[in-house]
Amino acid sequence: MELTDESLLNAHLQGDRSAFRQLVQRYGDSLLGYLFHMTGDRDQAEDLFQETFKKVHEKAGTFHGLYFKGWLFAIATRAAIDHIRRRKRLSAASLDQTDDCDGADCPRSAATADNTTDPGIEIIKQEQKQLVRRAVDDLPDKQRATLILAYYQQLSYKEVAQVLGCSIGTVKTQMSRALGTLARRLPDSVGVTK
């Protein structure tokens, strides 16, 4: 019988190290994917992943909710938004940084090659992914978090509301605004891709 998240968290509080490892294994992949979509950078996502689970470890005794995953993603969202804001401040302060990135020189490039037979189609797919990535990156923090949680992490609006600490109506509004902005910024041939 599989233990609930709350049981594992309680076991962790009692000193069971394997319980915390099980929580990391249970949510590690989806959390890392979420943080990657939030930051666009694998190294930053991994740093935020570590920071998130460190905070979970430190604050385990304060958890009193019914939904561990929501609490976990709320911690990760706050860490990611804080990181993005710090990065924007540093970027604005840097006079020699360029806004344009090409291919391998772009640190935020999430392009990965797969084994397709037509390199031209692959190049077009990668360009489309980069356009979507930039458009999502340019969304305001709450809209980006809402879109990524609902679309990429496939959380319900109720779960997204819990993670972001807002109402379901606010989630719907943020999602609508995010999709509207993406529709205006992206060409018709580009769709939101995972």
Side-chain angles (χ1 to χ4, degrees), residues 107-121:
R108 298 173 56 92
S109 176
T112 57
D114 64 1
N115 297 327
T116 57
T117 55
D118 187 349
I121 291 174

Side-chain angles (χ1 to χ4, degrees), residues 19 25 39 41 45 49 60 66 100 110 123 136 145 148 150 156 161 179:
Q25 289 172 348
T39 64
D41 183 275
F49 176 88
L66 299 173
D100 294 329
I123 290 170
V136 170
I148 292 169
S156 69
L179 293 174

Side-chain angles (χ1 to χ4, degrees), residues 11-159:
H12 165 64
L13 286 170
Q14 301 301 317
D16 182 354
R17 292 182 184 191
S18 68
F20 193 75
R21 258 193 311 273
Q22 287 180 44
L23 287 170
V24 172
Q25 289 172 348
R26 188 173 287 178
Y27 293 107
D29 289 342
S30 63
L31 183 68
L32 188 59
Y34 168 67
L35 291 168
F36 175 74
H37 283 296
M38 283 293 287
T39 64
D41 183 275
R42 182 81 176 175
D43 291 334
Q44 291 172 355
E46 289 174 356
D47 289 346
L48 290 169
F49 176 88
Q50 295 293 328
E51 181 181 332
T52 299
F53 274 106
K54 179 182 177 201
K55 286 182 182 175
V56 167
H57 169 71
E58 292 169 351
K59 297 179 183 264
T62 66
F63 175 73
H64 298 294
L66 299 173
Y67 183 60
F68 175 79
K69 184 177 180 183
W71 184 64
L72 173 68
F73 275 78
I75 292 170
T77 299
R78 283 190 292 279
I81 288 174
D82 288 347
H83 171 77
I84 290 164
R85 288 179 180 158
R86 279 191 306 270
R87 187 177 65 200
K88 283 181 182 177
R89 281 193 302 266
L90 291 174
S91 176
S94 175
L95 298 176
D96 60 346
Q97 184 169 351
T98 61
D99 288 331
D100 294 329
C101 269
D102 333 310
D105 294 335
C106 183
R108 298 173 56 92
S109 176
T112 57
D114 64 1
N115 297 327
T116 57
T117 55
D118 187 349
I121 291 174
E122 183 58 31
I123 290 170
I124 291 169
K125 284 181 182 179
Q126 293 305 322
E127 287 174 358
Q128 289 175 337
K129 285 181 181 181
Q130 287 179 353
L131 283 172
V132 171
R133 174 83 246 163
R134 285 188 203 122
V136 170
D137 283 349
D138 289 340
L139 291 173
D141 296 336
K142 296 242 176 171
Q143 289 179 24
R144 180 175 47 246
T146 301
L147 178 79
I148 292 169
L149 286 167
Y151 182 76
Y152 291 101
Q153 294 302 315
Q154 299 180 342
L155 297 182
S156 69
Y157 283 178
K158 181 180 178 182
E159 292 168 329

